[in-house]
Amino acid sequence: MSGIYIHIPFCKQACHYCDFHFSTSMKKKDEMVLALAKEIQMRKSEFKDEVVETIYFGGGTPSVLTTEEIQFLISEVYKNYKVAGNPEITLEANPDDLSKDKIIELSKSPINRLSIGIQSFFEEDLTMMNRAHNSVEAKECLEITTQYFDNISLDLIYGIPGMSNEKWKQNIETALSFGIPHISSYALTVEPKTALNKLIQTGKIAKPSDDLAQEHFSILVETLEKNDFIHYELSNFGKENYFSKNNSAYWLGKKYLGIGPSAHSYDGISRSWNVSNNTIYLKSLAENKLPNEIEILSKSDRYNEYIMTGLRTIWGVSLDRIATEFGNDYLDYLQKQAQKFIYDDLLFIENKILKPTRKGKFLTDGIASDLFYLNLEA
């Protein structure tokens, strides 16, 4: 199984917390769509032996594209790659782009999964984050979307300064009231080069609290599990048969091709990434050059990535796979490093699979970094 990710580097406005690559100017949108199509064509040899089972439009805000532009890019994938019979094709979308007409158009297109950036149903939160939509649009778009799409995910942000536990519960309950089968939820994090960081430094917004985020995370897990959601990745919850196939492939170490400025690719041995600059990207493609850098991953790099992704998921880290793929030195090191976390009831081993306990889930990334092997040669 392999996937193709297409990065759409445009947004109507900049969210205060976001550090993804995008431009708020749409002047080069038409040129960018043609360049994306060209990169899709130029890289087909990389996937000549692969079957594409997922196509994912991320960003940025992919829903700023017209349905015709989206269909054009999908058709370019079909022209140049072997595509599975019923691929998962996801479009990330913002509520303000999802008018009834746009939703109906998309429902008639090859798009069969929507990932909608709600973030919060409260007006004051959306204003603080500088989201392009309001709370009314958030609810109205879900009311309409659920009539035309079955496979829908929505994003929620927790740990927002000043958000009470009760208010957070209301956000979750509102999401559940629409019958959505998948929820992705992330703690509000402060990235260095964002407006949010400046607002915190100048005292206009309080700094997010780790303790509050942990409380909200616990409420999230408990509430969604009571409503038959499976907590299959640290930030992702899906009902049975509604896990994101695209994201699951990332976490399980499958190959993927990243198209567009700033997009990353992975083939099991190396990782590459495109330049995070629209102008340079467009110029390079016009000159028939791929504007990317490539890093060959050492054995330690691959081990560390498996630890990081494995611990975040319901599938955990297989001790047998560690031994087979990386060797007994890595296995011995992992078991030794894991002991203190097992003792503290943060990790456990079951059927030769290492996983975080309920108590350890929120701390997964920090635990994983302590299990990394930094001193082995490639």
Side-chain angles (χ1 to χ4, degrees), residues 42-225:
M42 288 175 66
R43 299 185 68 182
K44 63 183 178 182
S45 62
E46 296 178 44
F47 261 35
K48 65 180 184 297
D49 299 321
E50 301 295 324
V51 176
V52 174
E53 293 197 357
T54 65
I55 302 170
Y56 191 101
F57 288 87
T61 310
S63 53
V64 299
L65 296 187
T66 65
T67 306
E68 289 76 16
E69 288 168 332
I70 293 165
Q71 292 196 110
F72 167 66
L73 291 172
I74 293 171
S75 71
E76 288 303 306
V77 173
Y78 272 85
K79 284 179 189 175
N80 292 281
Y81 299 80
K82 299 171 188 172
V83 181
N86 185 30
E88 176 189 88
I89 306 181
T90 302
L91 180 78
E92 289 184 355
N94 278 354
D96 48 296
D97 293 323
L98 293 177
S99 65
K100 184 171 183 177
D101 287 345
K102 182 72 171 276
I103 291 166
I104 292 171
E105 283 180 10
L106 289 171
S107 72
K108 294 175 182 177
S109 80
I111 297 292
N112 52 31
R113 184 175 185 270
L114 290 180
S115 177
I116 305 175
I118 300 292
Q119 315 310 354
S120 177
F121 290 100
F122 291 95
E123 200 65 50
E124 59 269 29
D125 299 334
L126 298 171
T127 299
M128 184 275 288
M129 292 186 278
N130 200 40
R131 293 292 291 167
H133 69 278
N134 58 47
S135 60
V136 172
E137 287 174 319
K139 293 170 185 175
E140 285 182 348
C141 98
L142 290 177
E143 285 175 4
I144 301 168
T145 304
T146 49
Q147 296 174 36
Y148 292 92
F149 281 86
D150 170 57
N151 198 351
I152 301 169
S153 177
L154 61 79
D155 290 354
L156 292 176
I157 290 179
Y158 59 86
I160 296 172
M163 178 182 277
S164 66
N165 288 348
E166 188 54 43
K167 189 175 171 185
W168 174 234
K169 287 176 186 175
Q170 287 180 47
N171 256 337
I172 301 169
E173 293 297 339
T174 302
L176 292 173
S177 71
F178 290 98
I180 302 297
H182 188 282
I183 292 175
S184 297
S185 191
Y186 308 90
L188 182 67
T189 54
V190 185
E191 302 296 344
K193 296 179 182 180
T194 59
L196 178 62
N197 188 45
K198 291 178 183 176
L199 290 167
I200 289 170
Q201 288 179 342
T202 55
K204 294 178 181 177
I205 294 177
K207 185 178 179 180
S209 158
D210 288 342
D211 289 341
L212 179 66
Q214 189 160 3
E215 283 183 43
H216 286 182
F217 179 77
S218 297
I219 291 167
L220 176 71
V221 173
E222 183 179 347
T223 306
L224 292 185
E225 287 184 347

Side-chain angles (χ1 to χ4, degrees), residues 299-364:
K299 184 188 284 188
S300 294
D301 290 334
R302 289 184 281 113
Y303 163 88
N304 290 342
E305 287 201 9
Y306 177 48
I307 295 297
M308 175 63 80
T309 55
L311 281 187
R312 287 179 64 99
T313 71
I314 196 173
W315 303 288
V317 173
S318 165
L319 300 185
D320 286 342
R321 177 177 168 184
I322 295 291
T324 301
E325 198 169 318
F326 302 103
N328 287 328
D329 286 347
Y330 285 85
L331 177 62
D332 292 344
Y333 178 82
L334 173 60
Q335 291 177 316
K336 181 181 177 182
Q337 291 296 105
Q339 278 307 310
K340 60 185 175 183
F341 298 109
I342 293 172
Y343 180 80
D344 290 336
D345 192 34
L346 299 174
L347 294 176
F348 71 101
I349 296 173
E350 184 178 63
N351 299 323
K352 295 188 177 180
I353 303 292
L354 181 68
K355 295 181 180 181
T357 62
R358 180 180 285 270
K359 179 181 169 185
K361 280 184 178 179
F362 185 75
L363 306 172
T364 296

